[in-house]
Amino acid sequence: MPLAPDPTRAEPRLSAALPALFALALALAIGTMSIFLFSIVQEAAKAELGLTDNQLGFIQGVGAAAPLAVLAVPIGRLVDSSNRMRLLLLLVLGWTIGLVLTAFADSVTGLFIARMFVAVGGFCSVTAAISIAADMCPPTQRGSAMLVLTLGKWGGSAGAFALGGWLFGMLGTMVLPAWIGPVAPWRGVHLAVAAIGVIVCLPLLFVREPARRETVAGADAPFSVAMRELWDRRAFILPLFAGQLSVAMIDTAAGIWAAPVLSRSYGLQPDQFAQWMGLVVFAAGVIGSILGGLVADWGHRLPRRGGILIGAIAATTLSVPMSLFPLALDVPSFALMLGLFLFCGTAAGLIVGVTITVLLPNELRGFCIGLFVALAGVLGFGVAPPLITLVSGLLGGESHLGTALAIVGVVITAIASLAFPLAMRHAPRDSTSLAT
């Protein structure tokens, strides 16, 4: 029996779509885990291959940003015009190939190529999954549908830490059969996750492509038509993108630099904060996803224009003072402020995803999400982290990393808190209307 609801029904229900949504969420969990898995074991790879920090930065940053800048938008257009389930299966194959290539890489070039496969598969699968999920339920329930997908993504983030770390430790002590031969634990971790991912993603084979809904120009609309529709909505889309890209930039920077700040400013070693920090990140993601989805559905039911963005405005406003977490007086305050900061970013991101699915026509959803993925990859991985080090250098050096992170965080989150009200003001009434 297919997991998707009958696409011939005029009004699909969320309850009927839950099996398919859970299958999509499991796939996103593996894709997200694949993205962050190498970060958990990169020190072991660095030692074996004799890599430098600059080379690791090139692999992790440029290896993700470059292919996304080139491919995210074309893949987004394919999401709008082709069979999305087949495309999603190809993206699953892409990150699986990347995991296997990582396990057998013996140079910077090999790891760079592997990283590109993982990045395209892991990040672009979100575009396809959101578009598929949006057509499985009515607009008033899409916040709940996005909640299921977002929980899958956060489960993957936590799984990269928990499962990746557990596998690394287990493989380091396990005696493998002679016919397998010696396998470095960090390589074995990637092979194991690739195998697990193939099994976990098997239910996708039974998910049926849902019928496209709320289409204005048709699913096969040419690129020029899509661009014209996008331009007609620029008063809404530009501030919406400005707000969400700001959130993505500072969330990425916080994820990269929070641990070094704890070591340099608070004198903690990784084994002293890894467990509670992982719990903080997971809790912020889960709670932010739940409340973000519920608030998005509540806001969409309001008669007020752009009411769906009320939650994003509140979240980014709260995130401005929480951006000062690197300057917290003590570690408990740091943990609390970081948790609230990540909670705000998660909630705002989910609300924006729901906003795209309910206020843009079907033929623009994948295009917009793909464009966002491309820009977020370039700005989040290519601009935000070095921006922090640049400001730190201007302040006096590496000892000022926490202050630099706080300054940049306040400025960028303030931009987001101003952009979302502008998007709300110019929001269209529904997916078939133009922005004011």
Side-chain angles (χ1 to χ4, degrees):
M1 179 179 295
L3 294 178
D6 186 353
T8 62
R9 293 181 181 177
E11 190 69 12
R13 304 304 301 172
L14 178 66
S15 57
L18 282 177
L21 289 174
F22 284 131
L24 293 173
L26 285 173
L28 292 187
I30 297 297
T32 305
M33 188 186 304
S34 302
I35 292 170
F36 295 105
L37 189 63
F38 184 71
S39 298
I40 307 301
V41 299
Q42 66 178 348
E43 288 300 309
K46 176 183 177 181
E48 179 185 330
L49 300 178
L51 305 177
T52 66
D53 284 345
N54 287 336
Q55 289 173 323
L56 285 175
F58 175 75
I59 293 167
Q60 293 275 57
V62 181
L68 290 177
V70 175
L71 296 176
V73 172
I75 289 176
R77 284 291 294 158
L78 288 175
V79 168
D80 290 333
S81 60
S82 64
N83 187 295
R84 294 163 289 184
M85 284 308 307
R86 293 175 185 170
L87 179 60
L88 180 58
L89 290 172
L90 287 176
L91 294 170
V92 171
L93 178 62
W95 80 56
T96 303
I97 291 173
L99 290 172
V100 174
L101 290 176
T102 301
F104 291 100
D106 58 1
S107 65
V108 172
T109 301
L111 286 173
F112 184 84
I113 294 173
R115 176 66 173 169
M116 289 196 294
F117 273 94
V118 170
V120 171
F123 283 109
C124 294
S125 61
V126 177
T127 307
I130 289 177
S131 179
I132 294 167
D135 285 329
M136 288 182 172
C137 57
T140 54
Q141 294 183 323
R142 284 178 186 160
S144 300
M146 294 306 108
L147 164 61
V148 176
L149 299 188
T150 304
L151 288 176
K153 289 176 58 182
W154 279 101
S157 298
F161 179 83
L163 180 61
W166 178 77
L167 286 171
F168 184 79
M170 183 188 68
L171 293 172
T173 59
M174 179 181 295
V175 178
L176 298 176
W179 60 272
I180 296 180
V183 178
W186 70 272
R187 299 180 184 274
V189 167
H190 284 82
L191 288 175
V193 172
I196 294 171
V198 170
I199 297 172
V200 170
C201 291
L202 283 178
L204 291 179
L205 296 173
F206 302 96
V207 177
R208 186 168 51 194
E209 171 79 3
R212 295 183 182 271
R213 306 175 192 278
E214 302 138 19
T215 299
V216 174
D220 57 349
F223 183 75
S224 59
V225 174
M227 284 298 299
R228 184 170 65 249
E229 289 192 33
L230 194 66
W231 181 251
D232 289 340
R233 294 166 173 82
R234 62 189 180 279
F236 165 63
I237 291 176
L238 290 178
L240 185 72
F241 264 48
Q244 184 54 20
L245 287 172
S246 297
V247 171
M249 282 182 65
I250 195 58
D251 279 359
T252 301
I256 291 174
W257 296 119
V261 168
L262 282 170
S263 297
R264 299 177 192 181
S265 300
Y266 299 89
L268 298 182
Q269 297 301 314
D271 60 326
Q272 296 175 299
F273 63 77
Q275 298 300 321
W276 65 256
M277 189 172 177
L279 180 62
V280 166
V281 171
F282 182 71
V286 171
I287 298 173
S289 300
I290 294 173
L291 291 183
L294 294 176
V295 170
D297 284 344
W298 166 79
H300 184 54
R301 289 192 292 267
L302 295 177
R304 183 173 182 176
R305 178 187 293 274
I308 193 172
L309 287 171
I310 291 177
I313 296 171
T316 50
T317 301
L318 176 60
S319 68
V320 175
M322 293 304 105
S323 300
L324 297 173
F325 71 88
L327 303 181
L329 296 178
D330 51 39
V331 174
S333 299
F334 180 101
L336 177 61
M337 294 177 68
L338 174 63
L340 288 173
F341 176 79
L342 295 176
F343 157 80
C344 292
T346 303
L350 190 145
I351 291 170
V352 171
V354 178
T355 300
I356 290 175
T357 68
V358 299
L359 295 185
L360 292 181
N362 203 298
E363 66 270 17
L364 290 184
R365 291 173 189 164
F367 183 27
C368 278
I369 298 173
L371 182 59
F372 169 74
V373 169
L375 293 174
V378 173
L379 295 176
F381 287 93
V383 175
L387 178 61
I388 304 299
T389 59
L390 174 62
V391 175
S392 176
L394 294 175
L395 293 175
E398 294 182 355
S399 61
H400 297 276
L401 180 65
T403 304
L405 181 58
I407 292 174
V408 175
V410 168
V411 172
I412 293 182
T413 52
I415 293 174
S417 68
L418 295 174
F420 284 134
L422 188 60
M424 178 178 174
R425 178 182 177 183
H426 295 285
R429 291 289 183 185
D430 53 45
S431 62
T432 59
S433 303
L434 295 180
T436 60

